[in-house]
């Protein structure tokens, strides 16, 4: 019989996470810039052969062979585990675990329910177990913001948001962080409820910004300096919001944490293509062989399909990490139209979880729990 040292960890519910700063968009964008720079330097680990895997997906068959096994039918029905390590100044490991099911909304629940475990990089002992819906939403918006700080024109006045849900809100917050001169935001949503909730949120947070609901995608995109696509997308590309070349203003930056469709010729000939980290899209192209776009909803996988077809090369894609580290130029002229893909990576969750954990420790936020309280067998 041997007695192990005590292992304590913090439990942080959603209210605790808010107190710990999870909704601090400016701080989160700062953190995501650091993360993308570390990715370019190689100071990180994720899953997969190239260490850039988004995560491991657990799905179910459409027709369950056992009475207790759930069916995989329905939109966005899955579990995922997303493990990662990110280097200093974060220097932590962790894993985000979540279940997703669009049918949750009928039960008054969010589509996805997420938790995050922050772990000691050496022992593997937990440091914190935390509510992660806001964590995930803010790091997604902030990764859009990390690119927009470099890509968006500084005199941007008009923004468009397609998909005014949770990610639409955090994308809008990130746009406002990168482009504080925004005077008008146009909203295209599927439901009046979603539009109304976004409008209430935006007016409270940015009372000087004019909010305008529009009836068409064209109205959302046309004349906008920055456009964010944040709607949940399935695997049917014909249902994705389709952007026409003639709608897009010269110099516009389009950020896509959600699905959007573009003509390949328009992308190849008239746009600058940009990603948060090109290795992520290489991993997806390996895991979901050509054609990848549609199997994976992020538009950066369309860039990989275009590479497969010989339309572009890696040299035609700008990478935010390289820009942060001074290896690439973000915008070469005010006339460039930039389409920026935001994929979502567990290193981002680890980084923002670390920042929230550090504040929680410093300010005594959360509930301290014990992993074990008595000797265990050696």
């Amino acid at each position: 019989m041997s007695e192990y040292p005590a292992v304590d960890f913090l439990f942080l519910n959603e209210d605790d996470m808010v107190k710990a700063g999870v909704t601090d968009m400016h701080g989160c964008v700062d953190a995501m810039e650091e993360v993308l720079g570390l990715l370019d330097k190689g100071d990180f680990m994720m899953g997969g052969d190239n260490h850039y895997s988004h995560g491991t997906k657990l799905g179910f068959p459409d027709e369950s062979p056992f009475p207790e096994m759930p069916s995989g039918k329905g939109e966005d029905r899955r579990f995922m585990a997303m493990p990662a390590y990110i280097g200093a100044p974060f220097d932590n490991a962790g894993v985000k675990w979540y279940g997703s099911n669009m049918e949750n909304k009928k039960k008054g629940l969010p589509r996805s329910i997420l938790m995050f475990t922050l772990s000691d990089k050496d022992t593997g002992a937990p440091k914190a177990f935390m509510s992660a819906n806001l964590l995930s939403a803010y790091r997604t918006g902030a990764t859009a913001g990390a690119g927009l700080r470099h890509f968006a024109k500084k005199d941007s006045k008009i923004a468009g948001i397609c998909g005014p849900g949770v990610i639409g809100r955090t994308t809008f917050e990130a746009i406002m962080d990168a482009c504080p001169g925004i005077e008008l935001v146009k909203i295209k949503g599927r439901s009046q409820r979603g539009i109304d909730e976004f409008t209430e949120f935006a007016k409270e947070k940015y009372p000087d910004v004019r909010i305008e609901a529009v009836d068409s995608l064209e109205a959302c995109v046309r004349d906008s300096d920055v456009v964010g696509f944040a709607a949940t997308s399935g695997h049917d590309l014909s249902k994705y919001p389709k952007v026409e070349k003639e709608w897009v203003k010269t110099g516009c930056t389009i950020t896509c944490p959600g699905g959007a469709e573009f003509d390949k010729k328009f992308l190849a000939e008239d746009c600058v293509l940009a990603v948060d980290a090109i290795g992520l899209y290489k991993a997806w192209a390996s895991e979901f062989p050509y054609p990848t776009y549609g199997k994976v909803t992020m538009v950066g996988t369309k860039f990989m399909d275009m590479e497969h077809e010989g339309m572009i090369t890696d040299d035609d894609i700008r990478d935010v990490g390289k820009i942060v580290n001074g290896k690439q130029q973000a915008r070469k002229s005010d006339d460039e139209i930039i389409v920026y893909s935001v994929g979502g990576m567990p290193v981002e969750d680890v980084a923002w979880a670390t920042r929230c954990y550090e504040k929680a420790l410093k300010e005594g936020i959360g509930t301290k729990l014990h992993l074990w309280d008595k000797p265990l067998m050696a």
Side-chain angles (χ1 to χ4, degrees):
M1 182 84 70
S2 64
E3 190 169 330
Y4 294 132
V7 172
D8 298 327
F9 64 97
L10 280 182
F11 173 70
L12 299 166
N13 64 24
E14 189 168 90
D15 287 342
D16 295 330
M17 291 296 287
V18 172
K19 293 174 186 174
V22 73
T23 61
D24 173 13
M25 180 54 76
H26 183 78
C28 195
V29 176
D30 286 345
M32 294 308 105
E33 275 194 301
E34 286 187 273
V35 166
L36 298 180
L38 289 169
L39 289 178
D40 175 60
K41 293 176 181 178
D43 192 2
F44 75 99
M45 280 288 161
M46 290 185 279
D49 291 341
N50 74 345
H51 306 299
Y52 267 100
S53 182
H54 178 73
T56 298
K57 177 181 175 181
L58 174 67
F60 297 100
D62 286 347
E63 300 297 332
S64 174
F66 303 100
E68 294 83 8
M69 181 182 287
S71 165
K73 284 183 178 178
E75 189 176 352
D76 207 20
R77 180 74 178 96
R78 60 197 163 107
F79 287 95
M80 284 201 73
M82 299 171 64
Y85 164 81
I86 188 70
F90 308 101
D91 197 28
N92 272 319
V95 60
K96 183 167 71 179
W97 169 255
Y98 71 95
S100 183
N101 189 350
M102 195 64 78
E103 293 296 306
N104 284 354
K105 294 185 177 182
K106 295 178 181 178
K107 301 177 181 179
L109 294 169
R111 173 182 60 86
S112 297
I113 300 174
L114 303 90
M115 297 298 296
F116 187 84
T117 301
L118 188 69
S119 299
D120 184 278
K121 66 173 183 179
D122 294 317
T123 67
K127 292 183 172 183
F129 185 54
M130 56 184 68
S131 172
N133 277 54
L134 286 173
L135 177 80
S136 188
Y138 271 82
R139 65 79 156 153
T140 301
T143 305
L148 290 172
R149 280 186 180 178
H150 300 275
F151 297 132
K153 293 170 64 175
K154 301 309 175 188
D155 61 352
S156 296
K157 302 294 185 187
I158 301 174
I161 297 289
C162 178
V166 174
I167 301 303
R169 293 180 208 174
T170 60
T171 299
F172 175 53
E173 287 190 68
I175 290 172
M176 292 304 299
D177 180 78
C179 308
I182 293 292
E183 298 172 351
L184 167 67
V185 58
K186 298 178 289 183
I187 309 302
K188 172 65 174 71
R190 295 171 180 166
S191 72
Q192 189 60 48
R193 177 184 173 184
I195 292 169
D196 290 343
E197 289 177 350
F198 181 97
T199 301
E200 182 181 355
F201 160 81
K203 283 184 175 179
E204 181 177 348
K205 197 165 185 73
Y206 306 100
D208 295 330
V209 176
R210 188 157 51 95
I211 313 298
E212 179 183 322
V214 295
D215 294 330
S216 68
L217 182 61
E218 178 179 355
C220 185
V221 173
R222 193 177 286 277
D223 298 323
S224 292
D225 301 297
V226 183
V227 180
F229 284 90
T232 301
S233 303
H235 300 292
D236 184 352
L237 290 174
S238 68
K239 296 181 179 179
Y240 283 31
K242 175 71 181 293
V243 178
E244 301 295 341
K245 173 182 176 179
E246 58 268 22
W247 301 347
V248 183
K249 182 179 180 180
T250 298
C252 179
T253 303
I254 301 173
T255 184
C256 300
E261 182 64 301
F262 304 84
D263 180 76
K264 290 178 182 177
K265 185 177 180 182
F266 170 57
L267 290 176
E269 297 180 1
D270 299 291
C271 298
V272 171
L273 310 182
V275 295
D276 39 3
I278 196 168
L280 172 66
Y281 301 92
K282 297 289 187 184
W284 268 323
S286 174
E287 294 165 2
F288 301 92
Y290 176 86
T292 305
Y293 193 47
K295 298 173 189 172
V296 179
T297 62
M298 283 57 186
V299 72
T301 59
K302 189 181 185 80
F303 305 165
M304 297 298 101
D305 289 345
M306 292 166 64
E307 280 202 18
H308 182 89
E309 295 166 8
M311 296 182 70
I312 61 170
T313 69
D314 282 357
D315 292 338
D316 297 309
I317 300 174
R318 295 180 196 171
D319 185 302
V320 177
K322 289 182 170 56
I323 292 164
V324 168
N325 292 332
K327 298 177 182 178
Q328 285 183 349
Q329 187 175 348
R331 176 179 282 278
K332 297 179 180 179
S333 81
D334 283 347
D335 291 337
E336 288 183 324
I337 295 169
I338 298 176
V339 178
Y340 170 44
S341 180
V342 178
M345 293 172 280
V347 287
E348 298 159 359
D349 299 295
V350 177
W352 197 226
T354 297
R355 288 285 181 262
C356 294
Y357 170 72
E358 290 169 345
K359 183 174 180 180
L361 276 184
K362 182 178 179 181
E363 300 186 9
I365 299 164
T367 304
K368 187 176 180 180
L369 298 175
H370 308 290
L371 191 59
W372 49 63
D373 292 309
K374 60 184 180 180
L376 301 177
M377 293 293 291

